[in-house]
Amino acid sequence: MKITMIGAGAMGGATAEGLLKAGHEGKDICVSDPSQAVLSKFAALGVSTTTDNAKAVADADVVMVVVKPWLVERVLTGIKDALQPSKQALVVIAAGVPSKNIQEWLGAQCPPLFLCIPNIAIAQLQSMTFLVPCAAVTQQQRDLVTALFEKMGQVIITDEQHLAAGTTLASCGIAYAMRYIRAASEGGVELGFKADDAKHIVMQTIRGAVELLQASGMHPEQAIDLVATPGGVTIKGLNEMEHAGFTSAVIRGLKAGIG
């Protein structure tokens, strides 16, 4: 399977790295990007590179467009004549770009279309990816693209109406999780640990919490009850966080991401 990645910034680059780690050979991946530094990085990994988007899509089975939302129209209209709707699937990774706009820009040249929102953990094969099959997608193409992203994490097939919520919960959400890690690490320094040690402790603690919830199927509050003994330090710490609006702040932050 030949995969073309148009745009290899933070998200596109992470996806290209994920494809390589998932076992795709460099010769089967083409990265198109205006930055020579980006192209040199991927060329060193055995990936085909170019600055010519139209050339990049010519032999692709799957075309991924991973650029800033305001650049999507320009990129798509630029490759319109090179697309082969009968042979290709198009995956657009750009928050807030409606499928109807993409279909209007490409017209009859629109291949079977998927809207996709992963997060940057895709580079480590740990993305939470939301996938929306749109125009003229067959079951075979749906299975193909789903399997492609399942090799790089977990996938939820959803509808376009829920894509913004998925974006704020998982794509933006990974930044929110990192902000907690930063805050807890700084707290660890105040408690007397060196910065790197504090970060290591916090990350392992979060990893343990995730593994415990996944293995047990418990609701988070059930697991909290196992730790929060009456009158103990855990419940005191939790209540202090809630007095400062912890849960409310998280929910408000998530809702703000939808706009």
Side-chain angles (χ1 to χ4, degrees):
M1 178 168 51
K2 300 286 188 179
I3 303 166
T4 283
M5 182 79 54
I6 297 180
M11 190 70 256
T15 304
E17 290 178 35
L19 289 168
L20 290 168
K21 289 181 181 177
H24 295 276
E25 294 186 27
K27 64 182 179 63
D28 292 329
I29 302 170
C30 180
V31 167
S32 181
D33 194 275
S35 168
Q36 192 56 54
V38 167
L39 297 184
S40 296
K41 170 187 172 181
F42 285 104
L45 297 173
V47 173
S48 299
T49 61
T50 182
T51 57
D52 187 334
N53 292 343
K55 179 181 177 182
V57 306
D59 297 322
D61 298 303
V62 177
V63 177
M64 297 188 188
V65 173
V66 196
V67 297
K68 298 297 185 184
W70 55 88
L71 293 175
V72 173
E73 181 179 6
R74 184 196 309 172
V75 169
L76 288 177
T77 54
I79 63 172
K80 180 177 178 178
D81 292 338
L83 291 171
Q84 303 174 62
S86 64
K87 299 179 181 179
Q88 297 173 326
L90 174 64
V91 179
V92 175
I93 301 176
V97 179
S99 62
K100 67 176 183 179
N101 288 12
I102 296 170
Q103 292 165 25
E104 287 173 0
W105 296 332
L106 294 179
Q109 281 296 103
C110 186
L113 171 66
F114 295 82
L115 299 183
C116 179
I117 297 292
N119 63 37
I120 58 173
I122 199 167
Q124 305 302 321
L125 309 184
Q126 291 295 329
S127 178
M128 179 68 258
T129 298
F130 294 86
L131 198 60
V132 179
C134 302
V137 171
T138 66
Q139 186 62 49
Q140 182 180 10
Q141 290 163 334
R142 173 174 167 150
D143 292 344
L144 177 98
V145 174
T146 301
L148 186 66
F149 283 95
E150 282 180 336
K151 291 180 180 179
M152 298 183 286
Q154 296 190 21
V155 175
I156 289 180
I157 303 292
T158 188
D159 54 40
E160 197 164 349
Q161 180 181 352
H162 289 88
L163 199 56
T167 300
T168 191
L169 196 57
S171 186
C172 302
I174 196 168
Y176 305 153
M178 290 175 180
R179 179 57 61 88
Y180 170 78
I181 291 172
R182 189 195 77 173
S185 299
E186 290 179 353
V189 174
E190 189 167 336
L191 293 172
F193 290 102
K194 292 182 179 179
D196 285 345
D197 291 339
K199 184 181 73 171
H200 173 75
I201 291 164
V202 174
M203 289 193 301
Q204 180 57 34
T205 301
I206 290 177
R207 183 179 292 113
V210 171
E211 293 286 348
L212 177 62
L213 292 176
Q214 287 181 332
S216 67
M218 285 190 291
H219 187 281
E221 205 60 37
Q222 277 183 282
I224 288 171
D225 286 343
L226 298 178
V227 186
T229 55
V233 295
T234 302
I235 191 62
K236 291 177 181 177
L238 286 169
N239 284 343
E240 280 299 317
M241 292 180 188
E242 289 302 333
H243 290 325
F246 181 82
T247 297
S248 177
V250 170
I251 294 171
R252 289 176 64 184
L254 290 169
K255 291 173 72 176
I258 295 178

